[in-house]
Amino acid sequence: MIPFLHLAFYTGNGAVIYCAVSDTPVTDQNRLMQSKLVTRSPGNLDFSPGERGRIVYLAGRWQNRRGELGPWSEIVSAVIP
């Protein structure tokens, strides 16, 4: 489990988190799959035991209450604990 958000949601519905577990660097948001809509802080992602030690690439977009998405964040990476 990776805690990734400690944010306050004032006007939006939440943050849509996209991720990909990959052995090669992910630099294109189109390679990321939607993982979850985070509506409360903190948010967590769960991974299988077989993914432990691999690298996950993450990006997010704010979603307003009408379901409209904001711009992409930068892609960041983390090692799955």
PDB file of all heavy atoms in Angstrom, residues 19-53:
ATOM      1  N   CYS A  19      -2.130   4.878 -12.757  1.00  0.00           N
ATOM      2  CA  CYS A  19      -0.834   4.282 -12.454  1.00  0.00           C
ATOM      3  C   CYS A  19      -0.510   3.154 -13.413  1.00  0.00           C
ATOM      4  O   CYS A  19      -1.379   2.632 -14.113  1.00  0.00           O
ATOM      5  CB  CYS A  19      -0.773   3.800 -11.014  1.00  0.00           C
ATOM      6  SG  CYS A  19      -1.663   2.276 -10.684  1.00  0.00           S
ATOM      7  N   ALA A  20       0.772   2.798 -13.433  1.00  0.00           N
ATOM      8  CA  ALA A  20       1.255   1.651 -14.197  1.00  0.00           C
ATOM      9  C   ALA A  20       2.486   1.111 -13.487  1.00  0.00           C
ATOM     10  O   ALA A  20       3.361   1.873 -13.084  1.00  0.00           O
ATOM     11  CB  ALA A  20       1.612   2.056 -15.617  1.00  0.00           C
ATOM     12  N   VAL A  21       2.535  -0.207 -13.309  1.00  0.00           N
ATOM     13  CA  VAL A  21       3.722  -0.867 -12.789  1.00  0.00           C
ATOM     14  C   VAL A  21       4.521  -1.281 -14.015  1.00  0.00           C
ATOM     15  O   VAL A  21       4.013  -1.994 -14.878  1.00  0.00           O
ATOM     16  CB  VAL A  21       3.350  -2.091 -11.916  1.00  0.00           C
ATOM     17  CG1 VAL A  21       4.598  -2.811 -11.457  1.00  0.00           C
ATOM     18  CG2 VAL A  21       2.501  -1.652 -10.738  1.00  0.00           C
ATOM     19  N   SER A  22       5.760  -0.805 -14.105  1.00  0.00           N
ATOM     20  CA  SER A  22       6.522  -1.017 -15.326  1.00  0.00           C
ATOM     21  C   SER A  22       8.007  -1.145 -15.023  1.00  0.00           C
ATOM     22  O   SER A  22       8.519  -0.479 -14.122  1.00  0.00           O
ATOM     23  CB  SER A  22       6.284   0.151 -16.290  1.00  0.00           C
ATOM     24  OG  SER A  22       7.051   0.011 -17.455  1.00  0.00           O
ATOM     25  N   ASP A  23       8.686  -1.978 -15.812  1.00  0.00           N
ATOM     26  CA  ASP A  23      10.133  -2.117 -15.696  1.00  0.00           C
ATOM     27  C   ASP A  23      10.861  -1.045 -16.490  1.00  0.00           C
ATOM     28  O   ASP A  23      12.059  -0.847 -16.318  1.00  0.00           O
ATOM     29  CB  ASP A  23      10.574  -3.503 -16.164  1.00  0.00           C
ATOM     30  CG  ASP A  23      10.022  -4.598 -15.263  1.00  0.00           C
ATOM     31  OD1 ASP A  23       9.938  -4.379 -14.039  1.00  0.00           O
ATOM     32  OD2 ASP A  23       9.669  -5.670 -15.786  1.00  0.00           O
ATOM     33  N   THR A  24      10.148  -0.375 -17.394  1.00  0.00           N
ATOM     34  CA  THR A  24      10.733   0.720 -18.174  1.00  0.00           C
ATOM     35  C   THR A  24      10.040   2.017 -17.783  1.00  0.00           C
ATOM     36  O   THR A  24       8.852   2.018 -17.456  1.00  0.00           O
ATOM     37  CB  THR A  24      10.570   0.477 -19.690  1.00  0.00           C
ATOM     38  OG1 THR A  24       9.183   0.354 -19.991  1.00  0.00           O
ATOM     39  CG2 THR A  24      11.304  -0.789 -20.122  1.00  0.00           C
ATOM     40  N   PRO A  25      10.758   3.136 -17.799  1.00  0.00           N
ATOM     41  CA  PRO A  25      10.145   4.408 -17.407  1.00  0.00           C
ATOM     42  C   PRO A  25       8.922   4.752 -18.250  1.00  0.00           C
ATOM     43  O   PRO A  25       8.906   4.556 -19.460  1.00  0.00           O
ATOM     44  CB  PRO A  25      11.270   5.422 -17.639  1.00  0.00           C
ATOM     45  CG  PRO A  25      12.522   4.617 -17.546  1.00  0.00           C
ATOM     46  CD  PRO A  25      12.175   3.276 -18.109  1.00  0.00           C
ATOM     47  N   VAL A  26       7.886   5.254 -17.587  1.00  0.00           N
ATOM     48  CA  VAL A  26       6.666   5.689 -18.258  1.00  0.00           C
ATOM     49  C   VAL A  26       6.722   7.211 -18.359  1.00  0.00           C
ATOM     50  O   VAL A  26       6.803   7.901 -17.339  1.00  0.00           O
ATOM     51  CB  VAL A  26       5.414   5.247 -17.478  1.00  0.00           C
ATOM     52  CG1 VAL A  26       4.155   5.808 -18.102  1.00  0.00           C
ATOM     53  CG2 VAL A  26       5.346   3.731 -17.402  1.00  0.00           C
ATOM     54  N   THR A  27       6.690   7.728 -19.582  1.00  0.00           N
ATOM     55  CA  THR A  27       6.739   9.172 -19.792  1.00  0.00           C
ATOM     56  C   THR A  27       5.495   9.694 -20.502  1.00  0.00           C
ATOM     57  O   THR A  27       5.361  10.887 -20.708  1.00  0.00           O
ATOM     58  CB  THR A  27       7.980   9.549 -20.621  1.00  0.00           C
ATOM     59  OG1 THR A  27       7.929   8.843 -21.863  1.00  0.00           O
ATOM     60  CG2 THR A  27       9.262   9.187 -19.880  1.00  0.00           C
ATOM     61  N   ASP A  28       4.581   8.801 -20.863  1.00  0.00           N
ATOM     62  CA  ASP A  28       3.364   9.169 -21.591  1.00  0.00           C
ATOM     63  C   ASP A  28       2.151   8.793 -20.747  1.00  0.00           C
ATOM     64  O   ASP A  28       1.985   7.625 -20.376  1.00  0.00           O
ATOM     65  CB  ASP A  28       3.339   8.431 -22.930  1.00  0.00           C
ATOM     66  CG  ASP A  28       2.120   8.722 -23.775  1.00  0.00           C
ATOM     67  OD1 ASP A  28       1.288   9.588 -23.395  1.00  0.00           O
ATOM     68  OD2 ASP A  28       1.980   8.070 -24.825  1.00  0.00           O
ATOM     69  N   GLN A  29       1.295   9.775 -20.434  1.00  0.00           N
ATOM     70  CA  GLN A  29       0.109   9.506 -19.618  1.00  0.00           C
ATOM     71  C   GLN A  29      -0.808   8.461 -20.244  1.00  0.00           C
ATOM     72  O   GLN A  29      -1.563   7.794 -19.537  1.00  0.00           O
ATOM     73  CB  GLN A  29      -0.692  10.792 -19.374  1.00  0.00           C
ATOM     74  CG  GLN A  29      -0.027  11.760 -18.455  1.00  0.00           C
ATOM     75  CD  GLN A  29       0.701  12.849 -19.204  1.00  0.00           C
ATOM     76  OE1 GLN A  29       1.001  12.732 -20.392  1.00  0.00           O
ATOM     77  NE2 GLN A  29       1.030  13.912 -18.509  1.00  0.00           N
ATOM     78  N   ASN A  30      -0.769   8.283 -21.555  1.00  0.00           N
ATOM     79  CA  ASN A  30      -1.617   7.292 -22.217  1.00  0.00           C
ATOM     80  C   ASN A  30      -1.260   5.862 -21.826  1.00  0.00           C
ATOM     81  O   ASN A  30      -2.054   4.948 -22.041  1.00  0.00           O
ATOM     82  CB  ASN A  30      -1.547   7.453 -23.732  1.00  0.00           C
ATOM     83  CG  ASN A  30      -2.175   8.750 -24.185  1.00  0.00           C
ATOM     84  OD1 ASN A  30      -3.196   9.171 -23.658  1.00  0.00           O
ATOM     85  ND2 ASN A  30      -1.555   9.404 -25.150  1.00  0.00           N
ATOM     86  N   ARG A  31      -0.089   5.649 -21.252  1.00  0.00           N
ATOM     87  CA  ARG A  31       0.304   4.314 -20.792  1.00  0.00           C
ATOM     88  C   ARG A  31      -0.186   4.015 -19.380  1.00  0.00           C
ATOM     89  O   ARG A  31      -0.032   2.899 -18.892  1.00  0.00           O
ATOM     90  CB  ARG A  31       1.824   4.155 -20.858  1.00  0.00           C
ATOM     91  CG  ARG A  31       2.338   4.090 -22.284  1.00  0.00           C
ATOM     92  CD  ARG A  31       3.796   3.698 -22.366  1.00  0.00           C
ATOM     93  NE  ARG A  31       4.093   2.513 -21.581  1.00  0.00           N
ATOM     94  CZ  ARG A  31       5.302   2.258 -21.085  1.00  0.00           C
ATOM     95  NH1 ARG A  31       6.291   3.092 -21.280  1.00  0.00           N
ATOM     96  NH2 ARG A  31       5.519   1.166 -20.376  1.00  0.00           N
ATOM     97  N   LEU A  32      -0.763   5.010 -18.719  1.00  0.00           N
ATOM     98  CA  LEU A  32      -1.261   4.829 -17.362  1.00  0.00           C
ATOM     99  C   LEU A  32      -2.725   4.411 -17.397  1.00  0.00           C
ATOM    100  O   LEU A  32      -3.476   4.865 -18.243  1.00  0.00           O
ATOM    101  CB  LEU A  32      -1.121   6.128 -16.564  1.00  0.00           C
ATOM    102  CG  LEU A  32       0.292   6.703 -16.464  1.00  0.00           C
ATOM    103  CD1 LEU A  32       0.244   8.083 -15.830  1.00  0.00           C
ATOM    104  CD2 LEU A  32       1.190   5.777 -15.677  1.00  0.00           C
ATOM    105  N   MET A  33      -3.110   3.568 -16.469  1.00  0.00           N
ATOM    106  CA  MET A  33      -4.507   3.117 -16.365  1.00  0.00           C
ATOM    107  C   MET A  33      -5.143   3.792 -15.161  1.00  0.00           C
ATOM    108  O   MET A  33      -4.500   3.966 -14.139  1.00  0.00           O
ATOM    109  CB  MET A  33      -4.561   1.600 -16.170  1.00  0.00           C
ATOM    110  CG  MET A  33      -3.767   0.813 -17.163  1.00  0.00           C
ATOM    111  SD  MET A  33      -4.669  -0.092 -18.386  1.00  0.00           S
ATOM    112  CE  MET A  33      -6.107  -0.664 -17.637  1.00  0.00           C
ATOM    113  N   GLN A  34      -6.442   4.141 -15.292  1.00  0.00           N
ATOM    114  CA  GLN A  34      -7.140   4.742 -14.159  1.00  0.00           C
ATOM    115  C   GLN A  34      -7.217   3.737 -13.031  1.00  0.00           C
ATOM    116  O   GLN A  34      -7.614   2.593 -13.222  1.00  0.00           O
ATOM    117  CB  GLN A  34      -8.539   5.189 -14.548  1.00  0.00           C
ATOM    118  CG  GLN A  34      -9.263   5.863 -13.413  1.00  0.00           C
ATOM    119  CD  GLN A  34     -10.607   6.441 -13.813  1.00  0.00           C
ATOM    120  OE1 GLN A  34     -10.869   6.641 -14.971  1.00  0.00           O
ATOM    121  NE2 GLN A  34     -11.434   6.699 -12.832  1.00  0.00           N
ATOM    122  N   SER A  35      -6.818   4.159 -11.848  1.00  0.00           N
ATOM    123  CA  SER A  35      -6.797   3.266 -10.700  1.00  0.00           C
ATOM    124  C   SER A  35      -7.938   3.534  -9.734  1.00  0.00           C
ATOM    125  O   SER A  35      -8.602   2.623  -9.298  1.00  0.00           O
ATOM    126  CB  SER A  35      -5.484   3.397  -9.944  1.00  0.00           C
ATOM    127  OG  SER A  35      -4.438   2.942 -10.738  1.00  0.00           O
ATOM    128  N   LYS A  36      -8.125   4.816  -9.387  1.00  0.00           N
ATOM    129  CA  LYS A  36      -9.172   5.111  -8.418  1.00  0.00           C
ATOM    130  C   LYS A  36      -9.451   6.590  -8.366  1.00  0.00           C
ATOM    131  O   LYS A  36      -8.613   7.402  -8.733  1.00  0.00           O
ATOM    132  CB  LYS A  36      -8.807   4.538  -7.050  1.00  0.00           C
ATOM    133  CG  LYS A  36      -7.936   5.368  -6.197  1.00  0.00           C
ATOM    134  CD  LYS A  36      -7.484   4.738  -4.875  1.00  0.00           C
ATOM    135  CE  LYS A  36      -8.477   3.974  -4.101  1.00  0.00           C
ATOM    136  NZ  LYS A  36      -7.999   3.437  -2.837  1.00  0.00           N
ATOM    137  N   LEU A  37     -10.637   6.909  -7.892  1.00  0.00           N
ATOM    138  CA  LEU A  37     -11.029   8.286  -7.595  1.00  0.00           C
ATOM    139  C   LEU A  37     -10.887   8.455  -6.094  1.00  0.00           C
ATOM    140  O   LEU A  37     -11.522   7.739  -5.313  1.00  0.00           O
ATOM    141  CB  LEU A  37     -12.473   8.546  -8.028  1.00  0.00           C
ATOM    142  CG  LEU A  37     -13.064   9.891  -7.605  1.00  0.00           C
ATOM    143  CD1 LEU A  37     -12.326  11.045  -8.282  1.00  0.00           C
ATOM    144  CD2 LEU A  37     -14.545   9.945  -7.918  1.00  0.00           C
ATOM    145  N   VAL A  38     -10.037   9.370  -5.690  1.00  0.00           N
ATOM    146  CA  VAL A  38      -9.792   9.615  -4.272  1.00  0.00           C
ATOM    147  C   VAL A  38     -10.630  10.813  -3.846  1.00  0.00           C
ATOM    148  O   VAL A  38     -10.502  11.895  -4.405  1.00  0.00           O
ATOM    149  CB  VAL A  38      -8.298   9.886  -4.015  1.00  0.00           C
ATOM    150  CG1 VAL A  38      -8.053  10.194  -2.548  1.00  0.00           C
ATOM    151  CG2 VAL A  38      -7.466   8.708  -4.462  1.00  0.00           C
ATOM    152  N   THR A  39     -11.516  10.581  -2.894  1.00  0.00           N
ATOM    153  CA  THR A  39     -12.393  11.643  -2.414  1.00  0.00           C
ATOM    154  C   THR A  39     -12.085  12.045  -0.978  1.00  0.00           C
ATOM    155  O   THR A  39     -12.669  12.996  -0.475  1.00  0.00           O
ATOM    156  CB  THR A  39     -13.865  11.222  -2.514  1.00  0.00           C
ATOM    157  OG1 THR A  39     -14.053  10.039  -1.732  1.00  0.00           O
ATOM    158  CG2 THR A  39     -14.261  10.972  -3.955  1.00  0.00           C
ATOM    159  N   ARG A  40     -11.222  11.310  -0.322  1.00  0.00           N
ATOM    160  CA  ARG A  40     -10.831  11.621   1.054  1.00  0.00           C
ATOM    161  C   ARG A  40      -9.312  11.511   1.170  1.00  0.00           C
ATOM    162  O   ARG A  40      -8.678  10.766   0.457  1.00  0.00           O
ATOM    163  CB  ARG A  40     -11.469  10.646   2.042  1.00  0.00           C
ATOM    164  CG  ARG A  40     -12.978  10.715   2.060  1.00  0.00           C
ATOM    165  CD  ARG A  40     -13.503   9.948   3.267  1.00  0.00           C
ATOM    166  NE  ARG A  40     -14.935   9.762   3.229  1.00  0.00           N
ATOM    167  CZ  ARG A  40     -15.836  10.683   3.514  1.00  0.00           C
ATOM    168  NH1 ARG A  40     -15.455  11.880   3.830  1.00  0.00           N
ATOM    169  NH2 ARG A  40     -17.111  10.416   3.474  1.00  0.00           N
ATOM    170  N   SER A  41      -8.779  12.250   2.121  1.00  0.00           N
ATOM    171  CA  SER A  41      -7.347  12.230   2.346  1.00  0.00           C
ATOM    172  C   SER A  41      -7.057  11.444   3.618  1.00  0.00           C
ATOM    173  O   SER A  41      -7.792  11.576   4.590  1.00  0.00           O
ATOM    174  CB  SER A  41      -6.861  13.665   2.491  1.00  0.00           C
ATOM    175  OG  SER A  41      -5.498  13.717   2.742  1.00  0.00           O
ATOM    176  N   PRO A  42      -6.032  10.615   3.656  1.00  0.00           N
ATOM    177  CA  PRO A  42      -5.129  10.264   2.567  1.00  0.00           C
ATOM    178  C   PRO A  42      -5.714   9.172   1.694  1.00  0.00           C
ATOM    179  O   PRO A  42      -6.593   8.419   2.119  1.00  0.00           O
ATOM    180  CB  PRO A  42      -3.890   9.751   3.298  1.00  0.00           C
ATOM    181  CG  PRO A  42      -4.437   9.124   4.550  1.00  0.00           C
ATOM    182  CD  PRO A  42      -5.639   9.987   4.931  1.00  0.00           C
ATOM    183  N   GLY A  43      -5.200   9.067   0.491  1.00  0.00           N
ATOM    184  CA  GLY A  43      -5.589   7.992  -0.418  1.00  0.00           C
ATOM    185  C   GLY A  43      -4.527   6.911  -0.414  1.00  0.00           C
ATOM    186  O   GLY A  43      -3.368   7.168  -0.083  1.00  0.00           O
ATOM    187  N   ASN A  44      -4.910   5.693  -0.742  1.00  0.00           N
ATOM    188  CA  ASN A  44      -3.971   4.571  -0.781  1.00  0.00           C
ATOM    189  C   ASN A  44      -4.196   3.751  -2.038  1.00  0.00           C
ATOM    190  O   ASN A  44      -5.322   3.644  -2.521  1.00  0.00           O
ATOM    191  CB  ASN A  44      -4.169   3.651   0.428  1.00  0.00           C
ATOM    192  CG  ASN A  44      -3.762   4.307   1.718  1.00  0.00           C
ATOM    193  OD1 ASN A  44      -2.640   4.772   1.850  1.00  0.00           O
ATOM    194  ND2 ASN A  44      -4.678   4.360   2.666  1.00  0.00           N
ATOM    195  N   LEU A  45      -3.120   3.169  -2.535  1.00  0.00           N
ATOM    196  CA  LEU A  45      -3.208   2.199  -3.617  1.00  0.00           C
ATOM    197  C   LEU A  45      -2.725   0.868  -3.074  1.00  0.00           C
ATOM    198  O   LEU A  45      -1.737   0.804  -2.347  1.00  0.00           O
ATOM    199  CB  LEU A  45      -2.319   2.600  -4.801  1.00  0.00           C
ATOM    200  CG  LEU A  45      -2.753   3.797  -5.612  1.00  0.00           C
ATOM    201  CD1 LEU A  45      -1.703   4.107  -6.672  1.00  0.00           C
ATOM    202  CD2 LEU A  45      -4.090   3.531  -6.276  1.00  0.00           C
ATOM    203  N   ASP A  46      -3.411  -0.203  -3.422  1.00  0.00           N
ATOM    204  CA  ASP A  46      -3.021  -1.540  -2.992  1.00  0.00           C
ATOM    205  C   ASP A  46      -2.404  -2.282  -4.162  1.00  0.00           C
ATOM    206  O   ASP A  46      -2.873  -2.174  -5.297  1.00  0.00           O
ATOM    207  CB  ASP A  46      -4.238  -2.307  -2.473  1.00  0.00           C
ATOM    208  CG  ASP A  46      -4.819  -1.659  -1.224  1.00  0.00           C
ATOM    209  OD1 ASP A  46      -4.028  -1.265  -0.347  1.00  0.00           O
ATOM    210  OD2 ASP A  46      -6.054  -1.539  -1.146  1.00  0.00           O
ATOM    211  N   PHE A  47      -1.356  -3.046  -3.877  1.00  0.00           N
ATOM    212  CA  PHE A  47      -0.669  -3.826  -4.893  1.00  0.00           C
ATOM    213  C   PHE A  47      -0.565  -5.274  -4.430  1.00  0.00           C
ATOM    214  O   PHE A  47      -0.621  -5.562  -3.240  1.00  0.00           O
ATOM    215  CB  PHE A  47       0.731  -3.254  -5.145  1.00  0.00           C
ATOM    216  CG  PHE A  47       0.698  -1.859  -5.697  1.00  0.00           C
ATOM    217  CD1 PHE A  47       0.747  -0.766  -4.863  1.00  0.00           C
ATOM    218  CD2 PHE A  47       0.585  -1.651  -7.053  1.00  0.00           C
ATOM    219  CE1 PHE A  47       0.695   0.518  -5.358  1.00  0.00           C
ATOM    220  CE2 PHE A  47       0.538  -0.374  -7.569  1.00  0.00           C
ATOM    221  CZ  PHE A  47       0.594   0.712  -6.715  1.00  0.00           C
ATOM    222  N   SER A  48      -0.380  -6.182  -5.360  1.00  0.00           N
ATOM    223  CA  SER A  48      -0.244  -7.597  -5.019  1.00  0.00           C
ATOM    224  C   SER A  48       1.155  -7.851  -4.460  1.00  0.00           C
ATOM    225  O   SER A  48       2.096  -7.104  -4.755  1.00  0.00           O
ATOM    226  CB  SER A  48      -0.489  -8.464  -6.248  1.00  0.00           C
ATOM    227  OG  SER A  48       0.555  -8.290  -7.181  1.00  0.00           O
ATOM    228  N   PRO A  49       1.315  -8.897  -3.663  1.00  0.00           N
ATOM    229  CA  PRO A  49       2.634  -9.214  -3.110  1.00  0.00           C
ATOM    230  C   PRO A  49       3.697  -9.431  -4.195  1.00  0.00           C
ATOM    231  O   PRO A  49       4.863  -9.112  -3.991  1.00  0.00           O
ATOM    232  CB  PRO A  49       2.394 -10.493  -2.311  1.00  0.00           C
ATOM    233  CG  PRO A  49       0.951 -10.442  -1.949  1.00  0.00           C
ATOM    234  CD  PRO A  49       0.270  -9.780  -3.115  1.00  0.00           C
ATOM    235  N   GLY A  50       3.299  -9.913  -5.358  1.00  0.00           N
ATOM    236  CA  GLY A  50       4.244 -10.148  -6.439  1.00  0.00           C
ATOM    237  C   GLY A  50       4.805  -8.871  -7.047  1.00  0.00           C
ATOM    238  O   GLY A  50       5.806  -8.905  -7.760  1.00  0.00           O
ATOM    239  N   GLU A  51       4.166  -7.731  -6.779  1.00  0.00           N
ATOM    240  CA  GLU A  51       4.636  -6.456  -7.314  1.00  0.00           C
ATOM    241  C   GLU A  51       5.596  -5.741  -6.358  1.00  0.00           C
ATOM    242  O   GLU A  51       6.158  -4.699  -6.708  1.00  0.00           O
ATOM    243  CB  GLU A  51       3.439  -5.550  -7.629  1.00  0.00           C
ATOM    244  CG  GLU A  51       2.587  -6.069  -8.760  1.00  0.00           C
ATOM    245  CD  GLU A  51       1.331  -5.268  -8.978  1.00  0.00           C
ATOM    246  OE1 GLU A  51       0.658  -4.925  -7.981  1.00  0.00           O
ATOM    247  OE2 GLU A  51       1.031  -4.982 -10.143  1.00  0.00           O
ATOM    248  N   ARG A  52       5.807  -6.306  -5.197  1.00  0.00           N
ATOM    249  CA  ARG A  52       6.685  -5.690  -4.196  1.00  0.00           C
ATOM    250  C   ARG A  52       8.086  -5.503  -4.777  1.00  0.00           C
ATOM    251  O   ARG A  52       8.644  -6.392  -5.406  1.00  0.00           O
ATOM    252  CB  ARG A  52       6.737  -6.589  -2.965  1.00  0.00           C
ATOM    253  CG  ARG A  52       7.460  -5.978  -1.799  1.00  0.00           C
ATOM    254  CD  ARG A  52       7.245  -6.778  -0.564  1.00  0.00           C
ATOM    255  NE  ARG A  52       5.892  -6.444  -0.086  1.00  0.00           N
ATOM    256  CZ  ARG A  52       5.305  -7.061   0.912  1.00  0.00           C
ATOM    257  NH1 ARG A  52       5.901  -8.052   1.517  1.00  0.00           N
ATOM    258  NH2 ARG A  52       4.102  -6.692   1.296  1.00  0.00           N
ATOM    259  N   GLY A  53       8.656  -4.315  -4.587  1.00  0.00           N
ATOM    260  CA  GLY A  53       9.996  -4.014  -5.080  1.00  0.00           C
ATOM    261  C   GLY A  53      10.033  -3.464  -6.501  1.00  0.00           C
ATOM    262  O   GLY A  53      11.057  -2.987  -6.952  1.00  0.00           O
TER     263      GLY A  53
END
